[in-house]
Amino acid sequence: LDPRNGLLLCSTHHALFDDGSLTIDENLRIVHVDDYPPESYSPADTWFTQRIHGQPIALPEDDRLRPTANYIGRRNRQ
């Protein structure tokens, strides 16, 4: 197992990542993707998704444990 091919996510963000609503771009920023209009979001929905769009992910201090562009690109091409 390669630790650079993993992300530590809470259960909510993990479910959103699995269904494609959240991903990480090559610049290690969070991307929120959906077709719903912003006004359809509850305050909780906004808290968990829209407010984090474009934010950088928190990275491990050890460079050897950080996600690689190769793994991120492979995930985004799925």
Side-chain angles (χ1 to χ4, degrees):
L1 295 176
D2 188 345
R4 297 169 301 164
N5 188 29
L7 297 171
L8 180 60
L9 302 170
C10 71
S11 60
T12 300
H13 290 127
H14 188 255
L16 293 168
F17 186 79
D18 282 349
D19 83 2
S21 295
L22 286 181
T23 192
I24 306 298
D25 68 15
E26 291 79 15
N27 297 313
L28 302 177
R29 294 194 172 273
I30 300 166
V31 178
H32 173 240
V33 180
D34 75 17
D35 296 327
Y36 297 104
E39 61 274 6
S40 70
Y41 277 80
S42 72
D45 290 335
T46 299
W47 178 258
F48 281 113
T49 58
Q50 293 180 330
R51 77 171 184 86
I52 62 173
H53 177 77
Q55 297 297 313
I57 64 171
L59 295 169
E61 289 183 23
D62 187 337
D63 289 345
R64 298 171 300 163
L65 301 175
R66 294 181 179 189
T68 66
N70 180 42
Y71 288 130
I72 291 169
R74 187 181 321 161
R75 164 67 182 184
N76 290 340
R77 287 188 296 273
Q78 291 180 349

